[in-house]
Amino acid sequence: MSGKLLRIGFIGGGKMAQAMAKGFISAGLAKGETIIGSCHPSDLASLQAFKDLGAESITENIPVVEKSEVVIVSVKPHIVPIALGDLKNSGIDAGKLFLSVAMGVTTCQLEQLLPKEARVIRVMPNTPALVQSGASVFVKGTAATDNDANITRKLLQSIGTCEEVMEPWMDAVTALSGSGPAYVYIFIEALADGGVKMGLPRDLAYRLAAQTVMGAGKMVRDTKQHPGVLKDDVTSPGGSTATGLHFLEERGLRSAVIGAIEAATERCKEVAKTGH
């Protein structure tokens, strides 16, 4: 893939597809003209978003497969059988690499929906891919090759971090890193609201809160120290941090976050079983 622009197609053009497409373009792995996306005719915003990238924006799925080397399936889980339904008996060459970001849809289910020559990899990225700070994982299907895994890894590393995992972990991964940005956004908002309550201008409070969360995350990632050790380094005896931590412990912050991951994981399992 070195020096070669990939022809990438998206079946489904929502927020995740747009984030990935923008990330691939920013990283130099594709250009607008090497990307094609299909969207529902009623989704005018997504159709326009792909046009704004310089990509081809259409309302049919078969041309996406015909024109692409890598096809990214990025529709809602219950739409996957409908979106892929046209491909199995279409007679087109579907011997492509298919990456699916659909929550709860297993590699086995994807392989049953696609022509037998298709190679499948299940992916779970997250929306910070838009600013090349995504946290992605992937699982290879039975026909996917090591080269397919390498292509997937390079694509996902261009928009953040990437790790290969076992499929039974995917529901918990979805609950943690897939949904996790939403939890963090609420925390940033709460930090800023606290600052505003104590007299800070709101724009300053948001800037400080966002940078604080980003910096703390980088400390955990880059120093490889246990978060508890880093927390202790900030916490002076009898200080303001110790007082704030005590308040959070009394209000059950840890228990609430753990419970959120558990609840979201169970929801992912439910989607996998029912399709919606």
Side-chain angles (χ1 to χ4, degrees):
M1 206 170 80
S2 174
K4 177 179 178 291
L5 295 177
L6 279 174
R7 297 198 63 83
I8 302 172
F10 289 87
I11 295 178
K15 296 296 185 185
M16 180 55 69
Q18 293 168 33
M20 295 178 78
K22 290 176 183 176
F24 298 154
I25 292 170
S26 296
L29 295 177
K31 290 185 177 180
E33 57 264 33
T34 67
I35 291 176
I36 180 172
S38 61
C39 309
H40 193 275
S42 65
D43 190 359
L44 299 179
S46 294
L47 288 166
Q48 187 59 49
F50 270 79
K51 290 178 182 176
D52 291 343
L53 290 173
E56 187 175 357
S57 183
I58 61 175
T59 59
E60 296 179 359
N61 296 327
I62 288 178
V64 172
V65 179
E66 290 176 325
K67 295 183 178 184
S68 303
E69 299 166 90
V70 178
V71 181
I72 299 176
V73 181
S74 53
V75 295
K76 298 293 185 184
H78 68 282
I79 301 296
V80 171
I82 301 169
L84 300 184
D86 295 339
L87 304 181
K88 191 152 192 175
N89 300 311
S90 65
I92 66 169
D93 175 15
K96 310 289 178 70
L97 172 59
F98 286 79
L99 307 185
S100 170
V101 302
M103 180 184 77
V105 183
T106 67
T107 55
C108 180
Q109 290 170 326
L110 291 162
E111 287 169 347
Q112 290 173 350
L113 291 168
L114 287 164
K116 64 180 186 301
E117 66 269 24
R119 290 118 52 214
V120 169
I121 291 182
R122 181 181 173 190
V123 174
M124 176 47 61
N126 61 8
T127 53
L130 180 60
V131 290
Q132 293 177 259
S133 296
S136 303
V137 302
F138 72 92
V139 176
K140 286 194 300 183
T142 56
T145 65
D146 288 341
N147 186 56
D148 293 333
N150 288 335
I151 291 173
T152 301
R153 191 176 286 107
K154 287 179 181 177
L155 283 170
L156 297 178
Q157 285 177 341
S158 77
I159 54 174
T161 64
C162 173
E163 299 189 45
E164 185 173 2
V165 300
M166 298 188 296
E167 190 147 29
W169 295 354
M170 286 297 278
D171 290 330
V173 165
T174 302
L176 197 162
S177 59
S179 301
Y183 317 147
V184 176
Y185 298 145
I186 287 179
F187 184 64
I188 290 172
E189 188 177 32
L191 282 176
D193 284 346
V196 170
K197 181 180 180 182
M198 302 314 297
L200 296 180
R202 183 162 290 279
D203 58 344
L204 174 63
Y206 274 129
R207 290 197 302 272
L208 291 175
Q211 182 65 30
T212 297
V213 169
M214 185 172 70
K218 289 191 71 173
M219 285 286 286
V220 173
R221 185 192 67 186
D222 295 350
T223 68
K224 297 181 171 56
Q225 287 189 281
H226 191 284
V229 172
L230 296 172
K231 178 263 298 177
D232 288 348
D233 289 344
V234 183
T235 310
S236 302
S240 61
T241 304
T243 302
L245 288 171
H246 182 215
F247 189 93
L248 292 175
E249 293 291 358
E250 283 188 322
R251 296 323 191 262
L253 175 67
R254 291 174 191 253
S255 178
V257 174
I258 292 168
I261 303 300
E262 181 180 9
T265 301
E266 293 304 318
R267 175 59 181 149
C268 291
K269 292 179 180 177
E270 181 183 352
V271 170
K273 287 180 181 178
T274 65
H276 56 81

